[in-house]
Amino acid sequence: MAGFSSTTCLLLIFLLLRSSEARDILVGGKADAWAIPSSESQSLNKWAETNRFRTGDTLVWKYDSAKDSVLLVTKEDYVNCNTSSPIQQYKDGETKIVLDKSGPFYFISGTKDHCEKGQKLIVVVLSQRNRPSAVSPAPSPALAVEIDGPAVAPTPTSSASAFKAGLIVALMGVLAPLVIF
Ligand SMILES: *[C@@H]1O[C@H](CO)[C@@H](O)[C@H](O)[C@H]1NC(C)=O
């Protein structure tokens, strides 16, 4: 089996497939996270820094619709906590927002006072096309670096997908006998 266990193969296939899939991302990583942060280190922007967002991903917000809402606003309104003319307003308690373009998205609480106390979020979205490697965010930086190796080239996208295709073909070859017998 050339040093590859079938578990490793399946894991690699899973990672490769997962990397091209749009994801649902729960804001703050938990249900009650759309709230006034208890400290700077608990802020949603700290959370956002630890995540990678790509076009096609969906942000999911869970909150008490009687007490709060989500506003998509301009940078200026984000800075000033100006809730008077949002680009979009969501107040259903379970809001899903598709990140349909790359670049920054600015969100604030619809309750001005909450925003002023830090309940706000900037998400910077990377385009799928320009991403540097075949592997997405990731629980395992070590593995990502390993796989990134061959994909780093003057034309990251094409070499990454060529590499990905090649790897899938290679893995099929390894796995086929397992399935047949
Ligand atoms: C909030 O934004 C509106 C519309 O852009 C503007 O007219 C208003 O002056 C702003 N309010 C503050 C306090 O900046």
Side-chain angles (χ1 to χ4, degrees):
M1 213 41 45
F4 261 124
S5 76
S6 53
T7 314
T8 309
C9 291
L10 290 174
L11 181 66
L12 281 172
I13 288 177
F14 171 75
L15 286 173
L16 287 169
L17 293 180
R18 200 189 63 139
S19 71
S20 52
E21 249 172 39
R23 301 166 305 157
D24 279 2
I25 302 169
L26 185 58
V27 169
K30 55 185 198 290
D32 56 355
W34 189 232
I36 298 167
S38 54
S39 70
E40 178 65 25
S41 65
Q42 296 296 304
S43 76
L44 287 165
N45 284 334
K46 278 274 184 282
W47 166 80
E49 283 167 17
T50 65
N51 281 270
R52 283 216 240 159
F53 305 93
R54 300 192 189 288
T55 51
D57 287 346
T58 301
L59 288 180
V60 180
W61 315 68
K62 295 194 174 161
Y63 53 92
D64 182 347
S65 61
K67 295 185 183 141
D68 227 314
S69 59
V70 179
L71 306 186
L72 174 64
V73 296
T74 61
K75 182 179 183 180
E76 193 185 353
D77 287 349
Y78 171 91
V79 171
N80 299 319
C81 285
N82 188 340
T83 57
S84 68
S85 54
I87 300 164
Q88 285 287 343
Q89 177 171 354
Y90 309 87
K91 45 188 174 184
D92 52 2
E94 181 154 349
T95 296
K96 293 191 173 183
I97 299 174
V98 178
L99 301 171
D100 55 359
K101 59 182 181 354
S102 58
F105 284 70
Y106 300 91
F107 301 102
I108 62 175
S109 167
T111 307
K112 190 176 172 69
D113 176 55
H114 291 184
C115 175
E116 283 167 350
K117 288 177 175 153
Q119 189 180 331
K120 49 181 14 189
L121 170 66
I122 304 175
V123 165
V124 179
V125 179
L126 308 171
S127 78
Q128 292 280 357
R129 214 161 10 99
N130 296 336
R131 64 194 176 154
S133 80
V135 173
S136 76
S140 166
L143 182 57
V145 167
E146 214 176 279
I147 292 180
D148 277 355
V152 176
T155 53
T157 307
S158 57
S159 72
S161 38
F163 173 66
K164 185 167 159 179
L167 188 53
I168 287 176
V169 168
L171 290 174
M172 290 306 194
V174 173
L175 283 180
L178 292 177
V179 173
I180 292 163
F181 302 110

